[in-house]
């Protein structure tokens, strides 16, 4: 009698054990991929394994293979809302926004109580600039899963873009409390601190995110941007530019204010020395704002940041 060497052992709960192993290996895409492929050798019709393999391949930027795996999973189980949500996430990352939204909507029609789908759908809306809709989706997800660090972090990010700094800070703190070892929690926290004009603390938060996920390009880019702000040659410009950002008209308003003030001083026949000092002070400020960034970048080349 022939035997299949790849068949599961008697009493082997393929789905439970393989998913547990994949979860254990998810920090290593390669190990997760090998485990999923081994599982699919034993059960080629295991839809969720195909979907998870798609996500693992997508994380390795193997988008064509990822989409193929997700399509296979959906063909095997078109009514699984989790599979539809994962496929939507892959499509979103590939820039196929309309198709991704269709997947998320289908997933929510099957299970309108799945907080993870609301989180994924909100990412698509955030990415495409629909902040109000993203916020509504996140808040619906939080009603279903109030202890989700991912949802609190997403909420903090959206609120930050709306300049609701106090609310953003509160959501970020909840995300950190729920998932102190999560890289994204520290990443969001870094942006919240930067919005609160705390660049040194923001740099520390980005450094913590990189300690957990050292190869993430977004984390690396954010760290270097805030490190530039922390250089003393640039620090005054950082605070000055953030102050101007809160003034309608920005530099134009500043220029108009200078012209008006200068004319008023002349009209009041203020001492010439004072008027000249005022004019040269503005000129010095203008020159500094022009050279602050190249000076700071040059300083970074001389003394690179320590990750």
């Amino acid at each position: 009698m022939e035997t299949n060497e790849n068949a599961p052992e008697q009493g082997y709960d393929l789905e439970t054990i393989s998913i547990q192993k994949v979860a254990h290996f998810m920090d290593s895409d390669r190990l997760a991929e090998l485990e999923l492929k081994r599982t699919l050798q034993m059960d080629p019709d295991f839809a969720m394994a195909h979907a998870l393999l798609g996500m693992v391949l997508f994380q390795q930027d193997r988008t064509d293979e990822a989409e193929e795996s997700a399509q296979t999973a959906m063909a095997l189980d078109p009514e699984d809302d989790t599979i539809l949500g994962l496929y939507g996430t892959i499509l979103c990352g590939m820039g196929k926004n309309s198709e991704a939204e269709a997947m998320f909507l289908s997933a929510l029609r099957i299970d309108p109580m799945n907080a993870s789908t609301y989180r994924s759908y909100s990412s698509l809306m955030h990415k495409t600039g629909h902040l109000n809709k993203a916020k509504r989706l996140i808040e619906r997800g939080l009603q279903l899963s109030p202890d989700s660090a991912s949802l609190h972090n997403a909420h903090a990010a959206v609120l930050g873009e709306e300049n609701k700094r106090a609310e953003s800070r509160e959501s970020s703190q909840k995300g950190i409390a729920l998932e102190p070892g999560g890289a994204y929690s520290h990443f969001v926290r870094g942006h919240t601190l930067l919005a609160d004009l705390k660049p040194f603390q923001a740099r520390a938060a980005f450094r913590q995110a990189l300690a957990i996920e050292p190869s993430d390009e977004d984390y690396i880019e954010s760290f270097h941007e805030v490190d530039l702000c922390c250089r003393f040659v640039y620090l005054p410009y950082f605070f000055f530019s953030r102050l101007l950002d809160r003034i309608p008209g920005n530099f134009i308003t500043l220029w108009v204010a200078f012209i008006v003030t200068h004319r008023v001083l002349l009209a009041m026949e203020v001492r010439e020395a004072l008027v000249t000092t005022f004019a040269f002070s503005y000129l010095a400020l203008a020159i500094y704002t022009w050279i602050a960034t190249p000076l700071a970048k040059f300083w970074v080349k001389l003394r690179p940041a320590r990750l």
Side-chain angles (χ1 to χ4, degrees), residues 33 40 45 54 74 123 134 158 170 179 187-188 206 220 237 242 249 273 285 290 298:
E33 180 186 349
L40 288 169
D45 293 331
M74 197 171 70
S123 294
V158 170
E170 182 182 354
E179 193 179 46
F187 176 69
V188 172
F206 290 134
I220 293 170
Y237 178 69
R242 291 305 171 104
L285 176 64
W290 294 334
F298 177 70

Side-chain angles (χ1 to χ4, degrees), residues 58 62-68 87-97 100 127:
F58 177 70
R62 294 156 63 183
T63 53
D64 291 339
E65 295 173 77
E67 187 174 14
E68 184 180 347
Y87 190 14
T89 299
I90 291 169
L91 290 169
C92 176
M94 295 174 69
K96 298 182 178 182
N97 299 333
K127 169 189 169 185

Side-chain angles (χ1 to χ4, degrees), residues 6 53 84 184 207 212 219 277:
N6 290 326
L53 179 60
L84 292 171
Y184 188 67
R207 186 175 274 127
I212 300 166
Y219 300 172
T277 301

Side-chain angles (χ1 to χ4, degrees), residues 14-192:
L14 178 62
E15 181 166 344
T16 300
I17 293 177
S18 62
I19 296 301
Q20 286 175 345
K21 285 186 177 180
V22 170
H24 179 70
F25 291 142
M26 279 309 283
D27 285 339
S28 169
D29 292 334
R30 184 57 184 158
L31 289 176
E33 180 186 349
L34 291 172
E35 176 60 24
L36 286 163
K37 286 182 174 178
R38 189 189 71 81
T39 298
L40 288 169
Q41 284 181 338
M42 293 187 283
D43 184 358
D45 293 331
F46 186 2
M48 184 57 71
H50 282 288
L52 290 172
L53 179 60
M55 283 301 299
V56 169
L57 293 169
F58 177 70
Q59 289 169 186
Q60 299 177 60
D61 294 323
R62 294 156 63 183
T63 53
D64 291 339
E65 295 173 77
E67 187 174 14
E68 184 180 347
S69 290
Q71 288 172 341
T72 301
M74 197 171 70
L76 289 167
D77 193 351
E79 296 301 313
D80 189 309
D81 64 292
T82 301
I83 288 174
L84 292 171
L86 290 173
Y87 190 14
T89 299
I90 291 169
L91 290 169
C92 176
M94 295 174 69
K96 298 182 178 182
N97 299 333
S98 297
E99 295 173 53
E101 184 170 20
M103 287 297 154
F104 293 136
L105 290 171
S106 296
L108 288 173
R109 277 194 291 271
I110 294 168
D111 183 5
M113 305 298 284
N114 190 330
S116 295
T117 306
Y118 286 102
R119 171 68 181 95
S120 300
Y121 191 8
S122 74
S123 294
L124 173 63
M125 292 297 98
H126 191 177
K127 169 189 169 185
T128 54
H130 298 88
L131 289 184
N132 286 334
K133 188 169 183 178
K135 187 166 69 171
R136 289 197 303 270
L137 289 165
I138 292 165
E139 288 171 353
R140 175 58 179 149
L142 283 169
Q143 289 175 352
L144 298 169
S145 181
D147 292 332
S148 168
S150 177
L151 283 164
H152 282 294
N153 287 328
H155 202 211
V158 170
L159 290 168
E161 290 199 27
E162 293 182 335
N163 290 320
K164 296 179 179 177
R165 288 186 292 276
E167 295 172 60
S168 176
R169 189 185 313 118
E170 182 182 354
S171 290
S172 174
Q173 288 169 345
K174 288 179 181 177
I176 285 282
L178 288 164
E179 193 179 46
Y184 188 67
S185 295
H186 292 287
F187 176 69
V188 172
R189 178 69 173 150
H191 282 289
T192 303

